[in-house]
Amino acid sequence: MTDLTTDTSDIPDTAREADAATSPFADLDAYQALPRLGGLALSPDGTRLVTGLQTLNPEANRFVTALWEVDPSGRRPARRLTRSAKGESLATFTPDGTLLFTSARPDPDAPGDDDGPAALWALPPGPGEARVVAARPGGIGVACVARDSGDVVVTSATLPGADDTAASDEERRKARKDGKVTAILHEAFPVRYWDGDLGPDAPRLLVGRLGDDDDADLELRQVVGHVRHGLRHAVVDVTADGRTAVTTWDTIEGRAVSRFSLVSIDLATGARRTLLSDPDLEFEQPRISPDGSTVALQVYRRSTPDDPGDYRLAVAPLGRPGEVDNGSEHVTYREVAPGWDRWSGRPVWTPDGRALLVTADSDGRAPVFRVDVASGAVTQLTGDDAAYSDVVVSADGRHVYALRSAVGAPPAPVRLDPETPHQTPVHLRGPVPAPVVPGRLEEVTATGEDGTPLRAWLCLPDGADEERPAPLLLWIHGGPLGSWNAWSWRWNPWLAVARGYAVLLPDPALSTGYGIEFIRRGWGAWGDAPYSDLLALTDAAEARGDVDETRTAAMGGSFGGYMANWVGGHTDRFRAIVTHASLYALDQFAATTDAAHYWEREMSPEMTAHHSPHHHVDRWVTPTLVVHGDKDYRVPIGEALRLWWDLASKDTDEHGVMPHKFLYFPDENHWILTPNHSTLWYETVFAFLAHHVLGQEWRTPELLR
């Protein structure tokens, strides 16, 4: 097995412990200040890779992203391209190498409101400053560029009564603002998504082309007008000639069920044609082939109470520009690699159109795979213990670039060969060096009650051994369809390792990367195989001499919080529980979450009756830290409030004292994202663990006193 951390085997224990003490992972402020890399775009000539680097602003209360250029050859150091207080979001390149990005920073040529929405900016390939080329009152959302023609396709949120001009939308927004109106009249479900309200505006599709004049703006023309839901969460691609766009189309049908169809849009006329639509399937993540004839996509067989569904990689003919939707004659898709039991991400075509490059969770990693379109043959290109993302390929097909991360390494740019199996990536010179984690990473295996092989990552302090075993934290991932295989800034195990804990990162039933039957083991039965798998892997970790089985805690967020709640009602083996953004009463959750149409397919009355943690709270004796954000619409705050009442009404003694605590964030969402709140989250969690797991005196974090 390849160790994901820096090799420190020849360093004396005392030196390693000194390094751990001075590590940025031992200081929460230093940790928050670590730069964070994300996103990747490649110029058409293949000479420039651009990525986003997130850093703290001067007040250390917000992260700001700047764009950096990385040399694909690996020879030159990375150089910074943008700088602003608002930050930038990576978009794409035009055919002449102009970099397009979005930013809400003020336009120096149009002074006014500094709090305006994100506009589309253009940075020329040679000397010159970035300038605004398109702005809309509702901001610029999705942006993609036709490879040959240079047509730019964008989405922009627009109020329903506005015509196709920006001025009309601005007038209506001003009327609402002046009237102090924030109300939204909904006429369909859903009404919100993650941490944001849906409406009253909705995305429209617009197209334009930059002129040859360096000062020319992108004159946007509306292609698709107001539709209540169609372009929400759209994933858009455009043919190289700029004639046709393909996008997911959010369709609302009976019983307030939402599903994704796939449509093509003639960008000259706005004529829309439904390519793929089926009440039992969803069509997602489209990518048009280089010759414009075919679309690669994901096909999702929708779940039922007894079936988790399945994602398959497929291709479908695009059809002719100008064909109009007649409501019945759709194209047919062909599954690619039908025997491959993995769920891939969004596909990327090779320039010759013969293969697709994808990433997929697989056995606790997320390699890059090459899938031959004709034969379906699958080749795993990367062979290390890493997770890859943001795959791009050079126009000549000679090189593949991606961001590589791992449980023990944050994202960094790398270069790959497009055909060599199980290769070692070539690391490029990114904007910042990777921090050295304060410990080592090993793999733990076990066997489920039904004989299924199980595995987990175990992060250990360097000094942990049989004489100094480390207390154990069981960290349960969310999803539930997910895997511990990549770096996490929000749940970073190395912060706990720097404080002397071992952290177990298990993949129980429902985890991705082990095949559909592994998911099926826990589908609709969250309290069965997922729970017993977690305990089996915990038993295996505790059997090690370098782990202290007498000092343990269980922690999880979202679905991981559900499992933490299930643990609370079913065992007292842990000294403490931390449950973040957790599902607690499934009967109320299924109807109040932002995506009830999805969850109701699994949460049948029988499932909620047998697997809801709130039925077992009377057996809950473990001290618990409950954490929740009020802007969490995926797992609404009512879950935490009900859990808190049930614990408080059961465990508060005659002096008004109980062993539990509730960390509440009025303005955070499913994740705790702002740096100051993230620091408080970690401080409170570590104080709670120190008190109950290590036996130390309780110390309230300074800013919470």
Side-chain angles (χ1 to χ4, degrees), residues 3 5-13 16 19 436-440 462:
D3 190 357
T5 65
T6 301
D7 184 9
T8 58
S9 58
D10 60 344
I11 302 176
D13 288 344
R16 289 204 300 268
D19 288 343
V436 178
V437 298
R440 63 186 191 272
D462 281 320

Side-chain angles (χ1 to χ4, degrees), residues 577-590:
I577 291 172
V578 178
T579 180
H580 170 94
S582 65
L583 291 72
Y584 172 62
L586 299 187
D587 55 348
Q588 73 175 21
F589 164 80

Side-chain angles (χ1 to χ4, degrees), residues 293-306:
S293 67
T294 308
V295 182
L297 69 151
Q298 288 179 337
V299 178
Y300 171 55
R301 188 184 76 243
R302 305 180 80 187
S303 59
T304 70
D306 303 313

Side-chain angles (χ1 to χ4, degrees), residues 343-642:
W343 289 359
S344 72
R346 190 181 184 191
V348 175
W349 288 91
T350 57
D352 59 10
R354 296 173 56 187
L356 298 170
L357 301 175
V358 296
T359 61
D361 291 349
S362 187
D363 300 309
R365 292 87 173 158
V368 179
F369 297 90
R370 179 187 177 97
V371 183
D372 186 86
V373 174
S375 69
V378 178
T379 303
Q380 182 174 327
L381 297 182
T382 56
D384 54 350
D385 295 345
Y388 290 83
S389 66
D390 300 275
V391 174
V392 293
V393 59
S394 61
D396 60 10
R398 294 177 57 197
H399 303 294
V400 174
Y401 304 94
L403 292 183
R404 177 197 183 276
S405 86
V407 172
V414 297
R415 186 176 67 243
L416 303 166
D417 179 84
E419 296 188 3
T420 303
H422 297 278
Q423 63 193 274
T424 299
V426 176
H427 286 259
L428 304 178
R429 301 178 69 177
V432 291
V436 178
V437 298
R440 63 186 191 272
L441 186 67
E442 299 187 12
E443 204 159 10
V444 172
T445 59
T447 302
E449 290 183 347
D450 59 358
T452 299
L454 308 173
R455 59 158 306 284
W457 294 113
L458 180 63
C459 307
L460 287 157
D462 281 320
D465 55 27
E466 291 189 0
E467 295 182 359
R468 295 174 296 177
L472 180 68
L473 305 180
L474 166 64
W475 282 18
I476 311 167
H477 70 63
L481 304 176
S483 171
W484 288 117
N485 57 29
W487 183 266
S488 172
W489 290 106
R490 267 297 304 126
W491 281 71
N492 192 290
W494 303 106
L495 293 171
V497 171
R499 286 153 181 80
Y501 297 97
V503 180
L504 182 67
L505 306 173
D507 279 353
L510 289 173
S511 298
T512 51
Y514 305 91
I516 190 63
E517 292 307 317
F518 194 85
I519 296 171
R520 197 183 305 278
R521 294 172 61 240
W523 190 259
W526 290 6
D528 293 341
Y531 174 66
S532 61
D533 286 358
L534 289 171
L535 295 192
L537 285 162
T538 303
D539 289 341
E542 291 179 351
R544 298 168 54 104
D546 50 10
V547 170
D548 185 352
E549 76 280 4
T550 69
R551 298 185 295 166
T552 62
M555 303 170 54
S558 194
F559 168 78
Y562 162 90
M563 288 306 312
N565 294 341
W566 191 260
V567 165
H570 287 80
T571 181
D572 61 357
R573 67 182 287 173
F574 298 99
R575 289 192 178 188
I577 291 172
V578 178
T579 180
H580 170 94
S582 65
L583 291 72
Y584 172 62
L586 299 187
D587 55 348
Q588 73 175 21
F589 164 80
T592 58
T593 178
D594 62 343
H597 57 279
Y598 171 84
W599 294 104
E600 74 158 4
R601 300 205 296 263
E602 182 178 6
M603 293 183 179
S604 65
E606 294 76 18
M607 188 272 197
T608 57
H610 289 94
H611 298 283
S612 185
H614 81 282
H615 292 310
H616 307 279
V617 70
D618 288 343
R619 298 174 54 193
W620 195 319
V621 297
T622 306
T624 299
L625 173 63
V626 180
V627 188
H628 221 104
D630 204 0
K631 299 298 184 182
D632 186 349
Y633 298 160
R634 178 54 48 94
V635 182
I637 187 63
E639 297 297 298
L641 296 176
R642 186 166 175 181

Side-chain angles (χ1 to χ4, degrees), residues 141-144 153-158 193 198 201-207 221-237 245-252 258-265 267 270 272 286:
V142 172
C144 58
V153 178
V154 304
T155 60
S156 179
T158 307
Y193 184 71
L198 298 180
D201 54 14
R204 300 188 186 185
L205 195 71
L206 304 103
V207 64
R221 172 176 52 85
Q222 181 173 289
V223 178
V224 177
H226 179 75
V227 284
R228 285 187 299 183
H229 291 280
L231 290 170
R232 294 198 194 279
H233 326 308
V235 178
V236 184
D237 200 10
V246 172
T247 179
T248 53
W249 193 264
D250 200 359
T251 304
I252 309 296
S258 174
R259 62 181 172 85
F260 282 121
S261 302
L262 195 68
V263 305
S264 66
I265 299 168
L267 293 176
R272 186 170 73 246

Side-chain angles (χ1 to χ4, degrees), residues 18 113 165 183 194 238 303 387 444 502 553 613 664:
D113 187 2
T165 65
W194 284 113
V238 61
S303 59
V444 172
Y664 167 65

